[in-house]
Amino acid sequence: MKRKLAAAIVIAGMMVSVSACGGDDGKDTGKDAGPDSWKGQTLTVWTMDGSAPPQWTKDVQAAFEKKTGAKLKFEIQKWDGIQQKITTALSESNPPDVLEVGNTQTPAYAATGGLAELGDLKQQIGSDWTPSVSASSVYDGKQYAAPWYFANRVVIYNKKIWAKAGIKDTPKTRDEFFKDLEAIGKKTDAEPLYLPGQNWYFFDGLTIGQGADLVKKNGDKYVSNLADPKVAAAMDIYKKYAAYSKAPKDKDEATPQQAQVFAKGKTGAFIGMGWEAGTAIQANKAIEKDLGYFTIPGATAGKPEGVFLGGSNLAVAQGSKKQSLAQEFLKLALSDQYEGELAKLNGVIPNKQSLQTNLKGNAVAEAAAPAAAVGGTTPLIPEWAAVENTPNPIKSYMTAVLGGKSPADAAKQVEGEINKRLAQQN
């Protein structure tokens, strides 16, 4: 999926695309025989625009070349059209050696046989990867990638409006949050919460918080699990939040951009990504001083709400002739030193909870980090991608419930379309 993961309030736009399809400088020996053959080779790494800050790439490149005697070449890719580009590259005889792949896209690439197994790497350096962020790098019980960086939604709120409502602290539970929204509605003229009816990734987080699965196995096929009472419970929570909002029930957070609505200064809060704060500031510089952030609260104070974890993994192409050299790069890039540096520079969630100390002082990242351990993703199966294609039937389900249908009836309305998409050949 396309994502805008960037440093806290800064909108990513750091590097210029110089994309090229794999390869090196012609010095490839045709066989990766280990350290004795590394000198003189070139390892090609694809990263996405905005993912790897210039300082990070400079530091990793210097350390890699000093350690291995090989050259390291980063090639920056654009998100637009990347899935097809990676699919094509992995099918060719000379693919890039290491690739950044979206976490929810990883299973599809693994299923095609395009990614190398990294079980040994996991044993060597991955024993303390946060399970929730590592899950997307596993397919069919095998490790096909390594978790790199992640981000999730937080509550972005207007401190001035909350103060007018007499609220002195941020809520620690979902019920406290509802009480605060109630107070804003009664004591101010602001809209308590801007939440359009089809903020699908927030809803996905709620389903994760309820322990729900959106698909289930029926024989050898996956089918919709939208009729599960746990999914209905998540939708009921969403509906309660939406009751505090005047946003359209049949639109998502990008139509219009919710951050631009918030920027007008007449909304108490919205649920979004850190980069959306930057969008609000671009629309209205004066609102910057009033911005605040907190973790989406769950049912109890000790456990945040479930969240969708968007992010990226690093994978090695099965067709790369430099398998051991590629793993040396991963060991370095994912080391505490450089994983921690990436988290600090880009304000993203690192792959280990112990490295979250690098987020100190970054208000958005500090608000996002506590939920990472209880977060998750959409179903990690190759068949899922078709479900989210426009028009997304789950968005239709959400609108139907907000329009008065029961969750069970709304599920029946769309589950045929979901099952049809899940049955598509990949």
Side-chain angles (χ1 to χ4, degrees), residues 365-401:
E366 286 186 308
V374 295
T377 66
T378 51
L380 294 170
I381 56 173
E383 297 88 344
W384 180 257
V387 176
E388 290 191 50
N389 288 341
T390 303
N392 184 336
I394 298 182
K395 290 184 176 182
S396 300
Y397 160 85
M398 296 169 68
T399 294
V401 173

PDB file of all heavy atoms in Angstrom, residues 365-401:
ATOM      1  N   ALA A 365       5.836  10.381  17.767  1.00  0.00           N
ATOM      2  CA  ALA A 365       6.375   9.029  17.888  1.00  0.00           C
ATOM      3  C   ALA A 365       6.189   8.482  19.297  1.00  0.00           C
ATOM      4  O   ALA A 365       5.898   7.294  19.479  1.00  0.00           O
ATOM      5  CB  ALA A 365       7.852   9.017  17.504  1.00  0.00           C
ATOM      6  N   GLU A 366       6.357   9.336  20.293  1.00  0.00           N
ATOM      7  CA  GLU A 366       6.157   8.887  21.676  1.00  0.00           C
ATOM      8  C   GLU A 366       4.707   8.485  21.913  1.00  0.00           C
ATOM      9  O   GLU A 366       4.428   7.568  22.694  1.00  0.00           O
ATOM     10  CB  GLU A 366       6.567   9.990  22.651  1.00  0.00           C
ATOM     11  CG  GLU A 366       8.060  10.166  22.771  1.00  0.00           C
ATOM     12  CD  GLU A 366       8.439  11.166  23.861  1.00  0.00           C
ATOM     13  OE1 GLU A 366       7.915  12.298  23.856  1.00  0.00           O
ATOM     14  OE2 GLU A 366       9.253  10.797  24.717  1.00  0.00           O
ATOM     15  N   ALA A 367       3.771   9.139  21.244  1.00  0.00           N
ATOM     16  CA  ALA A 367       2.362   8.776  21.375  1.00  0.00           C
ATOM     17  C   ALA A 367       2.057   7.481  20.630  1.00  0.00           C
ATOM     18  O   ALA A 367       1.212   6.689  21.059  1.00  0.00           O
ATOM     19  CB  ALA A 367       1.481   9.900  20.845  1.00  0.00           C
ATOM     20  N   ALA A 368       2.739   7.248  19.522  1.00  0.00           N
ATOM     21  CA  ALA A 368       2.482   6.052  18.711  1.00  0.00           C
ATOM     22  C   ALA A 368       3.105   4.800  19.299  1.00  0.00           C
ATOM     23  O   ALA A 368       2.530   3.708  19.211  1.00  0.00           O
ATOM     24  CB  ALA A 368       3.000   6.276  17.293  1.00  0.00           C
ATOM     25  N   ALA A 369       4.275   4.938  19.902  1.00  0.00           N
ATOM     26  CA  ALA A 369       5.057   3.771  20.311  1.00  0.00           C
ATOM     27  C   ALA A 369       4.346   2.796  21.244  1.00  0.00           C
ATOM     28  O   ALA A 369       4.453   1.577  21.064  1.00  0.00           O
ATOM     29  CB  ALA A 369       6.374   4.238  20.937  1.00  0.00           C
ATOM     30  N   PRO A 370       3.606   3.247  22.275  1.00  0.00           N
ATOM     31  CA  PRO A 370       3.010   2.281  23.203  1.00  0.00           C
ATOM     32  C   PRO A 370       2.067   1.275  22.551  1.00  0.00           C
ATOM     33  O   PRO A 370       1.901   0.155  23.061  1.00  0.00           O
ATOM     34  CB  PRO A 370       2.250   3.170  24.194  1.00  0.00           C
ATOM     35  CG  PRO A 370       2.965   4.479  24.155  1.00  0.00           C
ATOM     36  CD  PRO A 370       3.365   4.634  22.718  1.00  0.00           C
ATOM     37  N   ALA A 371       1.437   1.650  21.438  1.00  0.00           N
ATOM     38  CA  ALA A 371       0.465   0.758  20.802  1.00  0.00           C
ATOM     39  C   ALA A 371       1.112  -0.265  19.872  1.00  0.00           C
ATOM     40  O   ALA A 371       0.445  -1.209  19.438  1.00  0.00           O
ATOM     41  CB  ALA A 371      -0.565   1.573  20.029  1.00  0.00           C
ATOM     42  N   ALA A 372       2.398  -0.089  19.572  1.00  0.00           N
ATOM     43  CA  ALA A 372       3.034  -0.984  18.608  1.00  0.00           C
ATOM     44  C   ALA A 372       2.978  -2.442  19.042  1.00  0.00           C
ATOM     45  O   ALA A 372       2.766  -3.344  18.229  1.00  0.00           O
ATOM     46  CB  ALA A 372       4.483  -0.560  18.373  1.00  0.00           C
ATOM     47  N   ALA A 373       3.141  -2.678  20.325  1.00  0.00           N
ATOM     48  CA  ALA A 373       3.173  -4.056  20.827  1.00  0.00           C
ATOM     49  C   ALA A 373       1.829  -4.753  20.700  1.00  0.00           C
ATOM     50  O   ALA A 373       1.766  -5.986  20.679  1.00  0.00           O
ATOM     51  CB  ALA A 373       3.636  -4.074  22.282  1.00  0.00           C
ATOM     52  N   VAL A 374       0.733  -3.987  20.640  1.00  0.00           N
ATOM     53  CA  VAL A 374      -0.596  -4.595  20.536  1.00  0.00           C
ATOM     54  C   VAL A 374      -1.208  -4.350  19.164  1.00  0.00           C
ATOM     55  O   VAL A 374      -2.399  -4.560  18.961  1.00  0.00           O
ATOM     56  CB  VAL A 374      -1.546  -4.069  21.640  1.00  0.00           C
ATOM     57  CG1 VAL A 374      -1.049  -4.499  23.005  1.00  0.00           C
ATOM     58  CG2 VAL A 374      -1.677  -2.542  21.585  1.00  0.00           C
ATOM     59  N   GLY A 375      -0.391  -3.893  18.226  1.00  0.00           N
ATOM     60  CA  GLY A 375      -0.877  -3.618  16.893  1.00  0.00           C
ATOM     61  C   GLY A 375      -0.889  -4.850  16.012  1.00  0.00           C
ATOM     62  O   GLY A 375      -0.582  -5.969  16.442  1.00  0.00           O
ATOM     63  N   GLY A 376      -1.249  -4.652  14.766  1.00  0.00           N
ATOM     64  CA  GLY A 376      -1.299  -5.742  13.802  1.00  0.00           C
ATOM     65  C   GLY A 376      -1.502  -5.193  12.408  1.00  0.00           C
ATOM     66  O   GLY A 376      -1.321  -3.999  12.163  1.00  0.00           O
ATOM     67  N   THR A 377      -1.885  -6.050  11.494  1.00  0.00           N
ATOM     68  CA  THR A 377      -2.047  -5.656  10.104  1.00  0.00           C
ATOM     69  C   THR A 377      -3.356  -6.217   9.556  1.00  0.00           C
ATOM     70  O   THR A 377      -4.118  -6.865  10.263  1.00  0.00           O
ATOM     71  CB  THR A 377      -0.894  -6.193   9.233  1.00  0.00           C
ATOM     72  OG1 THR A 377      -0.963  -7.627   9.201  1.00  0.00           O
ATOM     73  CG2 THR A 377       0.458  -5.757   9.772  1.00  0.00           C
ATOM     74  N   THR A 378      -3.588  -5.962   8.293  1.00  0.00           N
ATOM     75  CA  THR A 378      -4.642  -6.664   7.577  1.00  0.00           C
ATOM     76  C   THR A 378      -4.216  -8.127   7.442  1.00  0.00           C
ATOM     77  O   THR A 378      -3.060  -8.465   7.712  1.00  0.00           O
ATOM     78  CB  THR A 378      -4.833  -6.035   6.200  1.00  0.00           C
ATOM     79  OG1 THR A 378      -3.550  -5.937   5.559  1.00  0.00           O
ATOM     80  CG2 THR A 378      -5.428  -4.650   6.313  1.00  0.00           C
ATOM     81  N   PRO A 379      -5.108  -9.028   7.030  1.00  0.00           N
ATOM     82  CA  PRO A 379      -4.732 -10.448   6.907  1.00  0.00           C
ATOM     83  C   PRO A 379      -3.479 -10.644   6.060  1.00  0.00           C
ATOM     84  O   PRO A 379      -3.377 -10.116   4.948  1.00  0.00           O
ATOM     85  CB  PRO A 379      -5.968 -11.069   6.251  1.00  0.00           C
ATOM     86  CG  PRO A 379      -7.100 -10.233   6.756  1.00  0.00           C
ATOM     87  CD  PRO A 379      -6.556  -8.829   6.760  1.00  0.00           C
ATOM     88  N   LEU A 380      -2.541 -11.403   6.593  1.00  0.00           N
ATOM     89  CA  LEU A 380      -1.255 -11.586   5.935  1.00  0.00           C
ATOM     90  C   LEU A 380      -1.303 -12.774   4.980  1.00  0.00           C
ATOM     91  O   LEU A 380      -0.619 -13.786   5.156  1.00  0.00           O
ATOM     92  CB  LEU A 380      -0.150 -11.748   6.986  1.00  0.00           C
ATOM     93  CG  LEU A 380       0.102 -10.496   7.827  1.00  0.00           C
ATOM     94  CD1 LEU A 380       1.023 -10.801   9.007  1.00  0.00           C
ATOM     95  CD2 LEU A 380       0.664  -9.365   6.972  1.00  0.00           C
ATOM     96  N   ILE A 381      -2.119 -12.617   3.959  1.00  0.00           N
ATOM     97  CA  ILE A 381      -2.257 -13.627   2.912  1.00  0.00           C
ATOM     98  C   ILE A 381      -2.210 -12.914   1.567  1.00  0.00           C
ATOM     99  O   ILE A 381      -2.651 -11.768   1.443  1.00  0.00           O
ATOM    100  CB  ILE A 381      -3.582 -14.410   3.051  1.00  0.00           C
ATOM    101  CG1 ILE A 381      -4.782 -13.459   3.058  1.00  0.00           C
ATOM    102  CG2 ILE A 381      -3.570 -15.266   4.317  1.00  0.00           C
ATOM    103  CD1 ILE A 381      -6.136 -14.149   3.033  1.00  0.00           C
ATOM    104  N   PRO A 382      -1.654 -13.558   0.528  1.00  0.00           N
ATOM    105  CA  PRO A 382      -1.569 -12.898  -0.775  1.00  0.00           C
ATOM    106  C   PRO A 382      -2.932 -12.506  -1.331  1.00  0.00           C
ATOM    107  O   PRO A 382      -3.054 -11.512  -2.056  1.00  0.00           O
ATOM    108  CB  PRO A 382      -0.908 -13.963  -1.665  1.00  0.00           C
ATOM    109  CG  PRO A 382      -0.167 -14.843  -0.718  1.00  0.00           C
ATOM    110  CD  PRO A 382      -0.985 -14.870   0.541  1.00  0.00           C
ATOM    111  N   GLU A 383      -3.966 -13.268  -0.979  1.00  0.00           N
ATOM    112  CA  GLU A 383      -5.297 -13.014  -1.521  1.00  0.00           C
ATOM    113  C   GLU A 383      -5.921 -11.719  -1.018  1.00  0.00           C
ATOM    114  O   GLU A 383      -6.891 -11.218  -1.606  1.00  0.00           O
ATOM    115  CB  GLU A 383      -6.244 -14.173  -1.167  1.00  0.00           C
ATOM    116  CG  GLU A 383      -5.850 -15.513  -1.759  1.00  0.00           C
ATOM    117  CD  GLU A 383      -4.897 -16.310  -0.877  1.00  0.00           C
ATOM    118  OE1 GLU A 383      -4.286 -15.719   0.046  1.00  0.00           O
ATOM    119  OE2 GLU A 383      -4.749 -17.528  -1.107  1.00  0.00           O
ATOM    120  N   TRP A 384      -5.383 -11.161   0.079  1.00  0.00           N
ATOM    121  CA  TRP A 384      -6.038 -10.010   0.688  1.00  0.00           C
ATOM    122  C   TRP A 384      -5.977  -8.751  -0.160  1.00  0.00           C
ATOM    123  O   TRP A 384      -6.885  -7.918  -0.135  1.00  0.00           O
ATOM    124  CB  TRP A 384      -5.447  -9.709   2.071  1.00  0.00           C
ATOM    125  CG  TRP A 384      -6.115  -8.522   2.697  1.00  0.00           C
ATOM    126  CD1 TRP A 384      -5.644  -7.248   2.803  1.00  0.00           C
ATOM    127  CD2 TRP A 384      -7.431  -8.491   3.252  1.00  0.00           C
ATOM    128  NE1 TRP A 384      -6.560  -6.430   3.399  1.00  0.00           N
ATOM    129  CE2 TRP A 384      -7.680  -7.176   3.679  1.00  0.00           C
ATOM    130  CE3 TRP A 384      -8.430  -9.456   3.434  1.00  0.00           C
ATOM    131  CZ2 TRP A 384      -8.873  -6.794   4.279  1.00  0.00           C
ATOM    132  CZ3 TRP A 384      -9.618  -9.081   4.035  1.00  0.00           C
ATOM    133  CH2 TRP A 384      -9.831  -7.762   4.444  1.00  0.00           C
ATOM    134  N   ALA A 385      -4.923  -8.576  -0.928  1.00  0.00           N
ATOM    135  CA  ALA A 385      -4.719  -7.325  -1.663  1.00  0.00           C
ATOM    136  C   ALA A 385      -5.936  -6.949  -2.507  1.00  0.00           C
ATOM    137  O   ALA A 385      -6.313  -5.774  -2.583  1.00  0.00           O
ATOM    138  CB  ALA A 385      -3.483  -7.432  -2.547  1.00  0.00           C
ATOM    139  N   ALA A 386      -6.575  -7.933  -3.119  1.00  0.00           N
ATOM    140  CA  ALA A 386      -7.721  -7.642  -3.986  1.00  0.00           C
ATOM    141  C   ALA A 386      -8.904  -7.094  -3.204  1.00  0.00           C
ATOM    142  O   ALA A 386      -9.720  -6.344  -3.750  1.00  0.00           O
ATOM    143  CB  ALA A 386      -8.139  -8.910  -4.736  1.00  0.00           C
ATOM    144  N   VAL A 387      -9.005  -7.440  -1.930  1.00  0.00           N
ATOM    145  CA  VAL A 387     -10.139  -6.984  -1.120  1.00  0.00           C
ATOM    146  C   VAL A 387     -10.133  -5.467  -0.973  1.00  0.00           C
ATOM    147  O   VAL A 387     -11.174  -4.822  -0.976  1.00  0.00           O
ATOM    148  CB  VAL A 387     -10.140  -7.671   0.265  1.00  0.00           C
ATOM    149  CG1 VAL A 387     -11.272  -7.124   1.136  1.00  0.00           C
ATOM    150  CG2 VAL A 387     -10.272  -9.181   0.116  1.00  0.00           C
ATOM    151  N   GLU A 388      -8.951  -4.889  -0.858  1.00  0.00           N
ATOM    152  CA  GLU A 388      -8.851  -3.447  -0.626  1.00  0.00           C
ATOM    153  C   GLU A 388      -8.929  -2.618  -1.909  1.00  0.00           C
ATOM    154  O   GLU A 388      -8.905  -1.386  -1.841  1.00  0.00           O
ATOM    155  CB  GLU A 388      -7.556  -3.124   0.122  1.00  0.00           C
ATOM    156  CG  GLU A 388      -7.556  -3.589   1.562  1.00  0.00           C
ATOM    157  CD  GLU A 388      -6.393  -3.019   2.349  1.00  0.00           C
ATOM    158  OE1 GLU A 388      -6.186  -1.805   2.295  1.00  0.00           O
ATOM    159  OE2 GLU A 388      -5.685  -3.808   3.014  1.00  0.00           O
ATOM    160  N   ASN A 389      -9.024  -3.275  -3.052  1.00  0.00           N
ATOM    161  CA  ASN A 389      -9.157  -2.511  -4.294  1.00  0.00           C
ATOM    162  C   ASN A 389     -10.448  -1.692  -4.284  1.00  0.00           C
ATOM    163  O   ASN A 389     -11.458  -2.102  -3.717  1.00  0.00           O
ATOM    164  CB  ASN A 389      -9.161  -3.448  -5.505  1.00  0.00           C
ATOM    165  CG  ASN A 389      -7.795  -4.049  -5.789  1.00  0.00           C
ATOM    166  OD1 ASN A 389      -6.778  -3.531  -5.334  1.00  0.00           O
ATOM    167  ND2 ASN A 389      -7.774  -5.140  -6.528  1.00  0.00           N
ATOM    168  N   THR A 390     -10.386  -0.531  -4.931  1.00  0.00           N
ATOM    169  CA  THR A 390     -11.554   0.350  -5.005  1.00  0.00           C
ATOM    170  C   THR A 390     -12.625  -0.252  -5.913  1.00  0.00           C
ATOM    171  O   THR A 390     -12.292  -0.733  -6.996  1.00  0.00           O
ATOM    172  CB  THR A 390     -11.128   1.721  -5.539  1.00  0.00           C
ATOM    173  OG1 THR A 390     -10.103   2.246  -4.692  1.00  0.00           O
ATOM    174  CG2 THR A 390     -12.295   2.694  -5.569  1.00  0.00           C
ATOM    175  N   PRO A 391     -13.894  -0.272  -5.488  1.00  0.00           N
ATOM    176  CA  PRO A 391     -14.391   0.186  -4.182  1.00  0.00           C
ATOM    177  C   PRO A 391     -14.214  -0.882  -3.112  1.00  0.00           C
ATOM    178  O   PRO A 391     -14.588  -2.034  -3.323  1.00  0.00           O
ATOM    179  CB  PRO A 391     -15.880   0.436  -4.460  1.00  0.00           C
ATOM    180  CG  PRO A 391     -16.214  -0.557  -5.546  1.00  0.00           C
ATOM    181  CD  PRO A 391     -14.980  -0.668  -6.405  1.00  0.00           C
ATOM    182  N   ASN A 392     -13.645  -0.501  -1.994  1.00  0.00           N
ATOM    183  CA  ASN A 392     -13.374  -1.426  -0.895  1.00  0.00           C
ATOM    184  C   ASN A 392     -14.696  -1.831  -0.237  1.00  0.00           C
ATOM    185  O   ASN A 392     -15.395  -0.995   0.321  1.00  0.00           O
ATOM    186  CB  ASN A 392     -12.461  -0.729   0.119  1.00  0.00           C
ATOM    187  CG  ASN A 392     -12.044  -1.631   1.264  1.00  0.00           C
ATOM    188  OD1 ASN A 392     -12.710  -2.604   1.585  1.00  0.00           O
ATOM    189  ND2 ASN A 392     -10.932  -1.293   1.898  1.00  0.00           N
ATOM    190  N   PRO A 393     -15.063  -3.115  -0.281  1.00  0.00           N
ATOM    191  CA  PRO A 393     -16.355  -3.531   0.280  1.00  0.00           C
ATOM    192  C   PRO A 393     -16.454  -3.329   1.785  1.00  0.00           C
ATOM    193  O   PRO A 393     -17.572  -3.196   2.318  1.00  0.00           O
ATOM    194  CB  PRO A 393     -16.448  -5.010  -0.101  1.00  0.00           C
ATOM    195  CG  PRO A 393     -15.048  -5.439  -0.385  1.00  0.00           C
ATOM    196  CD  PRO A 393     -14.351  -4.239  -0.917  1.00  0.00           C
ATOM    197  N   ILE A 394     -15.330  -3.313   2.475  1.00  0.00           N
ATOM    198  CA  ILE A 394     -15.395  -3.105   3.926  1.00  0.00           C
ATOM    199  C   ILE A 394     -15.787  -1.666   4.236  1.00  0.00           C
ATOM    200  O   ILE A 394     -16.478  -1.395   5.217  1.00  0.00           O
ATOM    201  CB  ILE A 394     -14.067  -3.498   4.600  1.00  0.00           C
ATOM    202  CG1 ILE A 394     -13.801  -4.993   4.362  1.00  0.00           C
ATOM    203  CG2 ILE A 394     -14.103  -3.200   6.095  1.00  0.00           C
ATOM    204  CD1 ILE A 394     -12.557  -5.531   4.997  1.00  0.00           C
ATOM    205  N   LYS A 395     -15.374  -0.742   3.389  1.00  0.00           N
ATOM    206  CA  LYS A 395     -15.828   0.639   3.551  1.00  0.00           C
ATOM    207  C   LYS A 395     -17.341   0.720   3.364  1.00  0.00           C
ATOM    208  O   LYS A 395     -18.034   1.455   4.079  1.00  0.00           O
ATOM    209  CB  LYS A 395     -15.113   1.563   2.567  1.00  0.00           C
ATOM    210  CG  LYS A 395     -13.641   1.797   2.860  1.00  0.00           C
ATOM    211  CD  LYS A 395     -13.042   2.795   1.891  1.00  0.00           C
ATOM    212  CE  LYS A 395     -11.597   3.120   2.224  1.00  0.00           C
ATOM    213  NZ  LYS A 395     -11.017   4.133   1.311  1.00  0.00           N
ATOM    214  N   SER A 396     -17.857  -0.047   2.411  1.00  0.00           N
ATOM    215  CA  SER A 396     -19.310  -0.079   2.197  1.00  0.00           C
ATOM    216  C   SER A 396     -20.021  -0.648   3.421  1.00  0.00           C
ATOM    217  O   SER A 396     -21.091  -0.160   3.816  1.00  0.00           O
ATOM    218  CB  SER A 396     -19.632  -0.923   0.961  1.00  0.00           C
ATOM    219  OG  SER A 396     -19.030  -0.384  -0.193  1.00  0.00           O
ATOM    220  N   TYR A 397     -19.424  -1.664   4.026  1.00  0.00           N
ATOM    221  CA  TYR A 397     -19.964  -2.247   5.261  1.00  0.00           C
ATOM    222  C   TYR A 397     -20.029  -1.200   6.369  1.00  0.00           C
ATOM    223  O   TYR A 397     -21.051  -1.057   7.057  1.00  0.00           O
ATOM    224  CB  TYR A 397     -19.074  -3.421   5.682  1.00  0.00           C
ATOM    225  CG  TYR A 397     -19.173  -3.839   7.124  1.00  0.00           C
ATOM    226  CD1 TYR A 397     -20.163  -4.718   7.559  1.00  0.00           C
ATOM    227  CD2 TYR A 397     -18.241  -3.380   8.073  1.00  0.00           C
ATOM    228  CE1 TYR A 397     -20.235  -5.121   8.896  1.00  0.00           C
ATOM    229  CE2 TYR A 397     -18.305  -3.769   9.388  1.00  0.00           C
ATOM    230  CZ  TYR A 397     -19.300  -4.638   9.805  1.00  0.00           C
ATOM    231  OH  TYR A 397     -19.376  -5.030  11.115  1.00  0.00           O
ATOM    232  N   MET A 398     -18.973  -0.423   6.517  1.00  0.00           N
ATOM    233  CA  MET A 398     -18.926   0.584   7.561  1.00  0.00           C
ATOM    234  C   MET A 398     -20.009   1.638   7.369  1.00  0.00           C
ATOM    235  O   MET A 398     -20.727   2.004   8.315  1.00  0.00           O
ATOM    236  CB  MET A 398     -17.536   1.237   7.586  1.00  0.00           C
ATOM    237  CG  MET A 398     -16.412   0.281   7.949  1.00  0.00           C
ATOM    238  SD  MET A 398     -14.763   1.000   7.674  1.00  0.00           S
ATOM    239  CE  MET A 398     -14.752   2.267   8.940  1.00  0.00           C
ATOM    240  N   THR A 399     -20.145   2.120   6.137  1.00  0.00           N
ATOM    241  CA  THR A 399     -21.166   3.121   5.844  1.00  0.00           C
ATOM    242  C   THR A 399     -22.563   2.570   6.114  1.00  0.00           C
ATOM    243  O   THR A 399     -23.429   3.277   6.644  1.00  0.00           O
ATOM    244  CB  THR A 399     -21.047   3.588   4.387  1.00  0.00           C
ATOM    245  OG1 THR A 399     -19.809   4.290   4.226  1.00  0.00           O
ATOM    246  CG2 THR A 399     -22.185   4.522   4.007  1.00  0.00           C
ATOM    247  N   ALA A 400     -22.778   1.310   5.758  1.00  0.00           N
ATOM    248  CA  ALA A 400     -24.086   0.702   5.977  1.00  0.00           C
ATOM    249  C   ALA A 400     -24.437   0.650   7.461  1.00  0.00           C
ATOM    250  O   ALA A 400     -25.565   0.949   7.863  1.00  0.00           O
ATOM    251  CB  ALA A 400     -24.118  -0.702   5.370  1.00  0.00           C
ATOM    252  N   VAL A 401     -23.462   0.278   8.297  1.00  0.00           N
ATOM    253  CA  VAL A 401     -23.714   0.219   9.744  1.00  0.00           C
ATOM    254  C   VAL A 401     -23.991   1.616  10.289  1.00  0.00           C
ATOM    255  O   VAL A 401     -24.934   1.823  11.067  1.00  0.00           O
ATOM    256  CB  VAL A 401     -22.523  -0.423  10.485  1.00  0.00           C
ATOM    257  CG1 VAL A 401     -22.726  -0.331  12.004  1.00  0.00           C
ATOM    258  CG2 VAL A 401     -22.362  -1.883  10.081  1.00  0.00           C
TER     259      VAL A 401
END
